Amino acid sequence: MKIAFCCTDTRPEPWLQGLSAALPQADIQVWQPGMAPFDYAVVWAPPQQFIDEQPGLRALFNIGAGVDGLLKLRLPPGLAVVRLEDAGMSVQMAEYVCHALIRHFREFDAYEASARQGQWSFRKPRSRADFPVGIMGLGVLGRRVAQAVAQFGFPVNGWSRAPRALDGVQTYSGPQGLQDFLAASRVLVNLLPLTPDTENILNHDTLGRLQPGGYLINVARGAHLVDADLLALLDAGQLAGATLDVFRTEPLPAQHPFWQHPKITVTPHTSARTLRGETIAQVAGKIARLARQEPITGVVDVARGY
Ligand SMILES: NC(=O)c1ccc[n+]([C@@H]2O[C@H](COP(=O)([O-])OP(=O)(O)OC[C@H]3O[C@@H](n4cnc5c(N)ncnc54)[C@H](OP(=O)(O)O)[C@@H]3O)[C@@H](O)[C@H]2O)c1
């Protein structure tokens, strides 16, 4: 079995070592233009040339959960695109979102500012009931985040494409459920895939429907958010703040207003990193199953976009 490794911005050696250890019978090589056909590929942001030169692949394993970049390429019809399912990301996402939520809810920024001035000053406790959290996307990551947020006692709402039932979560679905979901939420967490249906979904209209003092945590993709609409709502005082991990252009350009905005916290697309060990174990396990003609999970519905 031949496996190509074609991951932009990734040092290949430790991946090749790990994959070879997990699949000792496989011949695993870093792809170069002009190479002979492979059976499987492990990819991150591969060039179109790779896809064009390897029309006979049995499956393409993306080493991330989001496949929006991959689906922009021209892929042969019927090629199985496989996304990462959790692989250590959901707990990181839960940590990140709970941190951002609690930092805002408990006003830790204000405490930090007071402490820097040597002030011992209390703020009035706020009620969790006044901070319902709305999670857009109830997939692998959204479900884990919803569970973690609920354990802190916040009311939790969730929104998905198809109706979903989740313990402790008030769920909404589809375009018809979106307005009620937003109106019931004060803190909005975005964990949607980027598709034609969800691009620009965080805009003046949707963000403006959150409860007063709304707060945005965007951990999915930068193109979900209309940057100027967020700035306008923050500057008008309609939203209280935002924590943003993903951006339309990454790295976020030095002159972008998000960097300096007093109500925005920026992190460098780090909320849930791909962990090499977990990823190799998952991908190798699935390749082994496919080689034995067994079914696998995590195959992307290309027409749906996730
Ligand atoms: N910042 C980071 O470091 C980082 C890391 C990993 C992933 N991500 C992002 O997180 C995203 C989510 O990952 P995941 O593994 O949780 O994805 P997933 O398992 O595919 O779940 C996607 C969820 O979004 C819902 N959804 C999709 N389109 C929708 C629409 N048009 N309207 C309403 N709901 C819709 C789906 O609804 P159904 O349940 O009805 O299908 C599902 O609940 C990824 O696509 C990626 O962009 C970011």
Side-chain angles (χ1 to χ4, degrees):
M1 165 200 329
K2 289 188 68 183
I3 303 174
F5 183 82
C6 181
C7 297
T8 307
D9 295 335
T10 309
R11 204 164 62 84
E13 293 79 13
W15 286 87
L16 295 193
Q17 240 173 34
L19 284 164
S20 302
L23 294 166
Q25 72 287 21
D27 171 12
I28 306 164
Q29 296 179 40
V30 177
W31 175 77
Q32 305 287 343
M35 279 181 138
F38 289 91
D39 303 302
Y40 302 99
V42 177
V43 302
W44 181 253
Q48 181 67 48
Q49 187 183 359
F50 169 73
I51 304 292
D52 293 344
E53 285 190 12
Q54 296 289 331
L57 287 173
R58 292 188 58 198
L60 203 55
F61 288 87
N62 188 49
I63 58 166
V67 290
D68 44 290
L70 202 48
L71 297 189
K72 283 193 193 123
L73 300 174
R74 280 185 316 278
L75 301 174
L79 171 63
V81 174
V82 188
R83 44 70 59 99
L84 222 49
E85 295 176 284
D86 194 339
M89 282 190 286
S90 74
V91 67
Q92 297 177 66
M93 210 44 115
E95 287 165 353
Y96 184 101
V97 170
C98 288
H99 175 269
L101 166 67
I102 291 168
R103 177 179 165 195
H104 173 61
F105 170 65
R106 293 289 304 270
E107 302 185 272
F108 285 131
D109 285 347
Y111 279 113
E112 192 178 325
S114 301
R116 289 196 186 285
Q117 292 173 6
Q119 286 173 0
W120 182 273
S121 64
F122 290 109
R123 303 180 73 82
K124 200 165 159 251
R126 311 204 278 189
S127 165
R128 280 174 180 71
D130 294 335
F131 284 80
V133 179
I135 298 170
M136 302 179 97
L138 296 175
V140 174
L141 303 181
R143 286 197 301 271
R144 179 69 178 82
V145 168
Q147 186 190 34
V149 168
Q151 277 179 354
F152 278 109
F154 292 92
V156 185
N157 303 308
W159 185 64
S160 53
R161 206 166 77 121
R164 308 253 159 232
L166 221 64
D167 272 356
V169 180
Q170 178 69 50
T171 54
Y172 302 80
S173 63
Q176 69 288 353
L178 181 58
Q179 295 196 7
D180 289 345
F181 162 78
L182 293 167
S185 306
R186 176 162 174 182
V187 178
L188 187 66
V189 178
N190 177 33
L191 272 165
L192 290 168
L194 181 63
T195 69
D197 285 340
T198 65
E199 189 168 0
N200 299 326
I201 195 165
L202 304 173
N203 55 46
H204 202 281
D205 176 54
T206 52
L207 295 174
R209 288 178 190 273
L210 293 174
Q211 295 181 356
Y215 192 90
L216 172 66
I217 300 172
N218 187 19
V219 278
R221 287 289 182 264
H224 283 127
L225 174 65
V226 180
D227 295 3
D229 289 3
L230 173 66
L231 291 167
L233 289 163
L234 288 171
D235 294 341
Q238 202 172 336
L239 289 183
T243 292
L244 307 175
D245 186 49
V246 288
F247 306 92
R248 280 182 184 265
T249 305
E250 295 182 0
L252 184 64
Q255 69 285 4
H256 197 289
F258 286 171
W259 279 118
Q260 301 303 334
H261 199 288
K263 294 178 180 172
I264 294 179
T265 298
V266 166
T267 55
H269 200 145
T270 196
S271 51
R273 304 288 293 271
T274 294
L275 302 178
R276 196 169 54 233
E278 280 89 335
T279 302
I280 287 171
Q282 185 173 113
V283 169
K286 288 182 181 182
I287 291 176
R289 287 184 70 84
L290 286 179
R292 295 193 301 265
Q293 317 282 343
E294 291 171 9
I296 58 166
T297 58
V299 179
V300 170
D301 180 336
V302 173
R304 200 177 60 168
Y306 71 99

PDB file of all heavy atoms in Angstrom, residues 89-114:
ATOM      1  N   MET A  89      -9.008  17.311  19.686  1.00  0.00           N
ATOM      2  CA  MET A  89      -9.353  18.722  19.479  1.00  0.00           C
ATOM      3  C   MET A  89     -10.523  19.182  20.343  1.00  0.00           C
ATOM      4  O   MET A  89     -10.593  20.338  20.733  1.00  0.00           O
ATOM      5  CB  MET A  89      -9.676  18.988  18.006  1.00  0.00           C
ATOM      6  CG  MET A  89      -8.428  19.101  17.162  1.00  0.00           C
ATOM      7  SD  MET A  89      -8.752  19.682  15.504  1.00  0.00           S
ATOM      8  CE  MET A  89      -9.465  18.265  14.777  1.00  0.00           C
ATOM      9  N   SER A  90     -11.468  18.277  20.622  1.00  0.00           N
ATOM     10  CA  SER A  90     -12.700  18.755  21.279  1.00  0.00           C
ATOM     11  C   SER A  90     -12.430  19.230  22.700  1.00  0.00           C
ATOM     12  O   SER A  90     -13.026  20.210  23.147  1.00  0.00           O
ATOM     13  CB  SER A  90     -13.797  17.692  21.227  1.00  0.00           C
ATOM     14  OG  SER A  90     -13.523  16.652  22.123  1.00  0.00           O
ATOM     15  N   VAL A  91     -11.509  18.575  23.394  1.00  0.00           N
ATOM     16  CA  VAL A  91     -11.234  19.022  24.767  1.00  0.00           C
ATOM     17  C   VAL A  91     -10.508  20.379  24.741  1.00  0.00           C
ATOM     18  O   VAL A  91     -10.748  21.254  25.584  1.00  0.00           O
ATOM     19  CB  VAL A  91     -10.461  17.948  25.582  1.00  0.00           C
ATOM     20  CG1 VAL A  91      -9.055  17.743  25.059  1.00  0.00           C
ATOM     21  CG2 VAL A  91     -10.410  18.348  27.059  1.00  0.00           C
ATOM     22  N   GLN A  92      -9.657  20.575  23.727  1.00  0.00           N
ATOM     23  CA  GLN A  92      -8.986  21.882  23.597  1.00  0.00           C
ATOM     24  C   GLN A  92     -10.026  22.977  23.320  1.00  0.00           C
ATOM     25  O   GLN A  92      -9.946  24.090  23.846  1.00  0.00           O
ATOM     26  CB  GLN A  92      -7.991  21.876  22.450  1.00  0.00           C
ATOM     27  CG  GLN A  92      -6.831  20.908  22.575  1.00  0.00           C
ATOM     28  CD  GLN A  92      -5.972  20.965  21.311  1.00  0.00           C
ATOM     29  OE1 GLN A  92      -5.338  21.956  21.014  1.00  0.00           O
ATOM     30  NE2 GLN A  92      -5.971  19.888  20.557  1.00  0.00           N
ATOM     31  N   MET A  93     -10.993  22.646  22.466  1.00  0.00           N
ATOM     32  CA  MET A  93     -12.031  23.621  22.118  1.00  0.00           C
ATOM     33  C   MET A  93     -12.863  23.946  23.353  1.00  0.00           C
ATOM     34  O   MET A  93     -13.218  25.105  23.587  1.00  0.00           O
ATOM     35  CB  MET A  93     -12.893  23.021  21.013  1.00  0.00           C
ATOM     36  CG  MET A  93     -13.491  23.992  20.067  1.00  0.00           C
ATOM     37  SD  MET A  93     -12.392  25.284  19.493  1.00  0.00           S
ATOM     38  CE  MET A  93     -12.272  24.915  17.768  1.00  0.00           C
ATOM     39  N   ALA A  94     -13.157  22.926  24.147  1.00  0.00           N
ATOM     40  CA  ALA A  94     -13.930  23.152  25.376  1.00  0.00           C
ATOM     41  C   ALA A  94     -13.146  24.056  26.331  1.00  0.00           C
ATOM     42  O   ALA A  94     -13.703  24.977  26.929  1.00  0.00           O
ATOM     43  CB  ALA A  94     -14.267  21.817  26.030  1.00  0.00           C
ATOM     44  N   GLU A  95     -11.856  23.818  26.450  1.00  0.00           N
ATOM     45  CA  GLU A  95     -11.019  24.668  27.321  1.00  0.00           C
ATOM     46  C   GLU A  95     -11.060  26.113  26.842  1.00  0.00           C
ATOM     47  O   GLU A  95     -11.237  27.050  27.618  1.00  0.00           O
ATOM     48  CB  GLU A  95      -9.537  24.226  27.255  1.00  0.00           C
ATOM     49  CG  GLU A  95      -9.192  22.956  27.953  1.00  0.00           C
ATOM     50  CD  GLU A  95      -7.816  22.428  27.527  1.00  0.00           C
ATOM     51  OE1 GLU A  95      -7.174  22.967  26.590  1.00  0.00           O
ATOM     52  OE2 GLU A  95      -7.386  21.451  28.133  1.00  0.00           O
ATOM     53  N   TYR A  96     -10.855  26.266  25.539  1.00  0.00           N
ATOM     54  CA  TYR A  96     -10.754  27.629  24.973  1.00  0.00           C
ATOM     55  C   TYR A  96     -12.061  28.392  25.175  1.00  0.00           C
ATOM     56  O   TYR A  96     -12.064  29.540  25.627  1.00  0.00           O
ATOM     57  CB  TYR A  96     -10.416  27.532  23.487  1.00  0.00           C
ATOM     58  CG  TYR A  96     -10.198  28.872  22.805  1.00  0.00           C
ATOM     59  CD1 TYR A  96      -8.901  29.344  22.554  1.00  0.00           C
ATOM     60  CD2 TYR A  96     -11.272  29.659  22.403  1.00  0.00           C
ATOM     61  CE1 TYR A  96      -8.710  30.567  21.929  1.00  0.00           C
ATOM     62  CE2 TYR A  96     -11.078  30.878  21.786  1.00  0.00           C
ATOM     63  CZ  TYR A  96      -9.798  31.321  21.541  1.00  0.00           C
ATOM     64  OH  TYR A  96      -9.605  32.542  20.920  1.00  0.00           O
ATOM     65  N   VAL A  97     -13.172  27.745  24.829  1.00  0.00           N
ATOM     66  CA  VAL A  97     -14.471  28.440  24.907  1.00  0.00           C
ATOM     67  C   VAL A  97     -14.831  28.728  26.361  1.00  0.00           C
ATOM     68  O   VAL A  97     -15.280  29.839  26.681  1.00  0.00           O
ATOM     69  CB  VAL A  97     -15.570  27.616  24.194  1.00  0.00           C
ATOM     70  CG1 VAL A  97     -16.947  28.191  24.472  1.00  0.00           C
ATOM     71  CG2 VAL A  97     -15.301  27.574  22.688  1.00  0.00           C
ATOM     72  N   CYS A  98     -14.627  27.758  27.249  1.00  0.00           N
ATOM     73  CA  CYS A  98     -14.953  27.998  28.668  1.00  0.00           C
ATOM     74  C   CYS A  98     -14.073  29.115  29.222  1.00  0.00           C
ATOM     75  O   CYS A  98     -14.544  29.954  30.000  1.00  0.00           O
ATOM     76  CB  CYS A  98     -14.787  26.721  29.488  1.00  0.00           C
ATOM     77  SG  CYS A  98     -16.078  25.512  29.141  1.00  0.00           S
ATOM     78  N   HIS A  99     -12.818  29.147  28.815  1.00  0.00           N
ATOM     79  CA  HIS A  99     -11.930  30.212  29.291  1.00  0.00           C
ATOM     80  C   HIS A  99     -12.442  31.575  28.842  1.00  0.00           C
ATOM     81  O   HIS A  99     -12.569  32.503  29.649  1.00  0.00           O
ATOM     82  CB  HIS A  99     -10.510  29.977  28.791  1.00  0.00           C
ATOM     83  CG  HIS A  99      -9.583  31.092  29.135  1.00  0.00           C
ATOM     84  ND1 HIS A  99      -9.369  32.171  28.306  1.00  0.00           N
ATOM     85  CD2 HIS A  99      -8.858  31.324  30.244  1.00  0.00           C
ATOM     86  CE1 HIS A  99      -8.537  33.004  28.895  1.00  0.00           C
ATOM     87  NE2 HIS A  99      -8.210  32.527  30.066  1.00  0.00           N
ATOM     88  N   ALA A 100     -12.764  31.692  27.554  1.00  0.00           N
ATOM     89  CA  ALA A 100     -13.232  32.983  27.026  1.00  0.00           C
ATOM     90  C   ALA A 100     -14.555  33.389  27.680  1.00  0.00           C
ATOM     91  O   ALA A 100     -14.760  34.557  28.040  1.00  0.00           O
ATOM     92  CB  ALA A 100     -13.390  32.894  25.508  1.00  0.00           C
ATOM     93  N   LEU A 101     -15.444  32.416  27.827  1.00  0.00           N
ATOM     94  CA  LEU A 101     -16.762  32.680  28.418  1.00  0.00           C
ATOM     95  C   LEU A 101     -16.620  33.151  29.867  1.00  0.00           C
ATOM     96  O   LEU A 101     -17.200  34.161  30.282  1.00  0.00           O
ATOM     97  CB  LEU A 101     -17.585  31.376  28.348  1.00  0.00           C
ATOM     98  CG  LEU A 101     -18.859  31.308  29.184  1.00  0.00           C
ATOM     99  CD1 LEU A 101     -19.890  32.307  28.652  1.00  0.00           C
ATOM    100  CD2 LEU A 101     -19.437  29.887  29.154  1.00  0.00           C
ATOM    101  N   ILE A 102     -15.830  32.415  30.643  1.00  0.00           N
ATOM    102  CA  ILE A 102     -15.731  32.709  32.081  1.00  0.00           C
ATOM    103  C   ILE A 102     -14.930  33.995  32.310  1.00  0.00           C
ATOM    104  O   ILE A 102     -15.245  34.791  33.190  1.00  0.00           O
ATOM    105  CB  ILE A 102     -15.137  31.483  32.813  1.00  0.00           C
ATOM    106  CG1 ILE A 102     -16.174  30.364  32.775  1.00  0.00           C
ATOM    107  CG2 ILE A 102     -14.757  31.827  34.247  1.00  0.00           C
ATOM    108  CD1 ILE A 102     -15.677  29.009  33.181  1.00  0.00           C
ATOM    109  N   ARG A 103     -13.941  34.208  31.489  1.00  0.00           N
ATOM    110  CA  ARG A 103     -13.169  35.454  31.590  1.00  0.00           C
ATOM    111  C   ARG A 103     -14.104  36.656  31.401  1.00  0.00           C
ATOM    112  O   ARG A 103     -14.009  37.647  32.119  1.00  0.00           O
ATOM    113  CB  ARG A 103     -12.087  35.433  30.511  1.00  0.00           C
ATOM    114  CG  ARG A 103     -11.257  36.680  30.446  1.00  0.00           C
ATOM    115  CD  ARG A 103     -10.218  36.529  29.356  1.00  0.00           C
ATOM    116  NE  ARG A 103      -9.651  37.815  29.027  1.00  0.00           N
ATOM    117  CZ  ARG A 103      -8.940  38.061  27.953  1.00  0.00           C
ATOM    118  NH1 ARG A 103      -8.700  37.084  27.095  1.00  0.00           N
ATOM    119  NH2 ARG A 103      -8.461  39.247  27.719  1.00  0.00           N
ATOM    120  N   HIS A 104     -15.017  36.525  30.426  1.00  0.00           N
ATOM    121  CA  HIS A 104     -15.981  37.611  30.189  1.00  0.00           C
ATOM    122  C   HIS A 104     -17.012  37.676  31.317  1.00  0.00           C
ATOM    123  O   HIS A 104     -17.241  38.740  31.903  1.00  0.00           O
ATOM    124  CB  HIS A 104     -16.675  37.396  28.843  1.00  0.00           C
ATOM    125  CG  HIS A 104     -17.790  38.359  28.605  1.00  0.00           C
ATOM    126  ND1 HIS A 104     -17.583  39.724  28.548  1.00  0.00           N
ATOM    127  CD2 HIS A 104     -19.130  38.173  28.470  1.00  0.00           C
ATOM    128  CE1 HIS A 104     -18.749  40.325  28.359  1.00  0.00           C
ATOM    129  NE2 HIS A 104     -19.690  39.413  28.313  1.00  0.00           N
ATOM    130  N   PHE A 105     -17.616  36.544  31.633  1.00  0.00           N
ATOM    131  CA  PHE A 105     -18.699  36.512  32.621  1.00  0.00           C
ATOM    132  C   PHE A 105     -18.215  36.996  33.995  1.00  0.00           C
ATOM    133  O   PHE A 105     -18.896  37.766  34.671  1.00  0.00           O
ATOM    134  CB  PHE A 105     -19.235  35.068  32.707  1.00  0.00           C
ATOM    135  CG  PHE A 105     -20.173  34.819  33.839  1.00  0.00           C
ATOM    136  CD1 PHE A 105     -21.412  35.449  33.893  1.00  0.00           C
ATOM    137  CD2 PHE A 105     -19.827  33.940  34.868  1.00  0.00           C
ATOM    138  CE1 PHE A 105     -22.287  35.213  34.946  1.00  0.00           C
ATOM    139  CE2 PHE A 105     -20.694  33.707  35.917  1.00  0.00           C
ATOM    140  CZ  PHE A 105     -21.920  34.347  35.959  1.00  0.00           C
ATOM    141  N   ARG A 106     -17.026  36.561  34.405  1.00  0.00           N
ATOM    142  CA  ARG A 106     -16.513  36.922  35.739  1.00  0.00           C
ATOM    143  C   ARG A 106     -15.743  38.244  35.718  1.00  0.00           C
ATOM    144  O   ARG A 106     -15.178  38.652  36.729  1.00  0.00           O
ATOM    145  CB  ARG A 106     -15.622  35.783  36.275  1.00  0.00           C
ATOM    146  CG  ARG A 106     -16.377  34.497  36.583  1.00  0.00           C
ATOM    147  CD  ARG A 106     -17.272  34.635  37.810  1.00  0.00           C
ATOM    148  NE  ARG A 106     -16.510  35.052  38.971  1.00  0.00           N
ATOM    149  CZ  ARG A 106     -15.917  34.210  39.831  1.00  0.00           C
ATOM    150  NH1 ARG A 106     -16.041  32.922  39.671  1.00  0.00           N
ATOM    151  NH2 ARG A 106     -15.231  34.664  40.854  1.00  0.00           N
ATOM    152  N   GLU A 107     -15.681  38.884  34.542  1.00  0.00           N
ATOM    153  CA  GLU A 107     -15.045  40.206  34.379  1.00  0.00           C
ATOM    154  C   GLU A 107     -13.566  40.192  34.811  1.00  0.00           C
ATOM    155  O   GLU A 107     -13.081  41.120  35.459  1.00  0.00           O
ATOM    156  CB  GLU A 107     -15.832  41.264  35.162  1.00  0.00           C
ATOM    157  CG  GLU A 107     -17.294  41.339  34.700  1.00  0.00           C
ATOM    158  CD  GLU A 107     -18.060  42.459  35.374  1.00  0.00           C
ATOM    159  OE1 GLU A 107     -18.613  42.224  36.460  1.00  0.00           O
ATOM    160  OE2 GLU A 107     -18.075  43.564  34.812  1.00  0.00           O
ATOM    161  N   PHE A 108     -12.880  39.149  34.441  1.00  0.00           N
ATOM    162  CA  PHE A 108     -11.473  39.027  34.853  1.00  0.00           C
ATOM    163  C   PHE A 108     -10.580  40.105  34.227  1.00  0.00           C
ATOM    164  O   PHE A 108      -9.553  40.457  34.795  1.00  0.00           O
ATOM    165  CB  PHE A 108     -10.944  37.623  34.553  1.00  0.00           C
ATOM    166  CG  PHE A 108     -11.444  36.577  35.523  1.00  0.00           C
ATOM    167  CD1 PHE A 108     -11.992  35.384  35.088  1.00  0.00           C
ATOM    168  CD2 PHE A 108     -11.365  36.795  36.895  1.00  0.00           C
ATOM    169  CE1 PHE A 108     -12.454  34.426  35.993  1.00  0.00           C
ATOM    170  CE2 PHE A 108     -11.826  35.849  37.809  1.00  0.00           C
ATOM    171  CZ  PHE A 108     -12.373  34.659  37.352  1.00  0.00           C
ATOM    172  N   ASP A 109     -10.988  40.613  33.055  1.00  0.00           N
ATOM    173  CA  ASP A 109     -10.198  41.708  32.468  1.00  0.00           C
ATOM    174  C   ASP A 109     -10.240  42.941  33.367  1.00  0.00           C
ATOM    175  O   ASP A 109      -9.228  43.618  33.563  1.00  0.00           O
ATOM    176  CB  ASP A 109     -10.738  42.089  31.078  1.00  0.00           C
ATOM    177  CG  ASP A 109     -10.347  41.067  30.030  1.00  0.00           C
ATOM    178  OD1 ASP A 109      -9.470  40.219  30.319  1.00  0.00           O
ATOM    179  OD2 ASP A 109     -10.923  41.103  28.930  1.00  0.00           O
ATOM    180  N   ALA A 110     -11.436  43.228  33.906  1.00  0.00           N
ATOM    181  CA  ALA A 110     -11.577  44.393  34.784  1.00  0.00           C
ATOM    182  C   ALA A 110     -10.781  44.181  36.072  1.00  0.00           C
ATOM    183  O   ALA A 110     -10.126  45.107  36.575  1.00  0.00           O
ATOM    184  CB  ALA A 110     -13.050  44.623  35.102  1.00  0.00           C
ATOM    185  N   TYR A 111     -10.803  42.949  36.606  1.00  0.00           N
ATOM    186  CA  TYR A 111     -10.020  42.658  37.818  1.00  0.00           C
ATOM    187  C   TYR A 111      -8.524  42.824  37.545  1.00  0.00           C
ATOM    188  O   TYR A 111      -7.781  43.336  38.379  1.00  0.00           O
ATOM    189  CB  TYR A 111     -10.305  41.238  38.319  1.00  0.00           C
ATOM    190  CG  TYR A 111     -11.584  41.156  39.119  1.00  0.00           C
ATOM    191  CD1 TYR A 111     -12.681  40.457  38.650  1.00  0.00           C
ATOM    192  CD2 TYR A 111     -11.685  41.801  40.353  1.00  0.00           C
ATOM    193  CE1 TYR A 111     -13.859  40.392  39.381  1.00  0.00           C
ATOM    194  CE2 TYR A 111     -12.866  41.742  41.090  1.00  0.00           C
ATOM    195  CZ  TYR A 111     -13.952  41.038  40.597  1.00  0.00           C
ATOM    196  OH  TYR A 111     -15.107  40.986  41.325  1.00  0.00           O
ATOM    197  N   GLU A 112      -8.113  42.390  36.355  1.00  0.00           N
ATOM    198  CA  GLU A 112      -6.690  42.496  36.023  1.00  0.00           C
ATOM    199  C   GLU A 112      -6.283  43.965  35.944  1.00  0.00           C
ATOM    200  O   GLU A 112      -5.232  44.351  36.459  1.00  0.00           O
ATOM    201  CB  GLU A 112      -6.417  41.788  34.697  1.00  0.00           C
ATOM    202  CG  GLU A 112      -4.945  41.615  34.440  1.00  0.00           C
ATOM    203  CD  GLU A 112      -4.664  40.876  33.136  1.00  0.00           C
ATOM    204  OE1 GLU A 112      -5.435  39.977  32.773  1.00  0.00           O
ATOM    205  OE2 GLU A 112      -3.665  41.235  32.495  1.00  0.00           O
ATOM    206  N   ALA A 113      -7.164  44.771  35.328  1.00  0.00           N
ATOM    207  CA  ALA A 113      -6.863  46.207  35.214  1.00  0.00           C
ATOM    208  C   ALA A 113      -6.792  46.848  36.611  1.00  0.00           C
ATOM    209  O   ALA A 113      -5.883  47.642  36.895  1.00  0.00           O
ATOM    210  CB  ALA A 113      -7.929  46.895  34.361  1.00  0.00           C
ATOM    211  N   SER A 114      -7.722  46.461  37.499  1.00  0.00           N
ATOM    212  CA  SER A 114      -7.706  46.995  38.864  1.00  0.00           C
ATOM    213  C   SER A 114      -6.412  46.591  39.573  1.00  0.00           C
ATOM    214  O   SER A 114      -5.769  47.409  40.239  1.00  0.00           O
ATOM    215  CB  SER A 114      -8.873  46.459  39.693  1.00  0.00           C
ATOM    216  OG  SER A 114     -10.081  46.785  39.092  1.00  0.00           O
TER     217      SER A 114
END
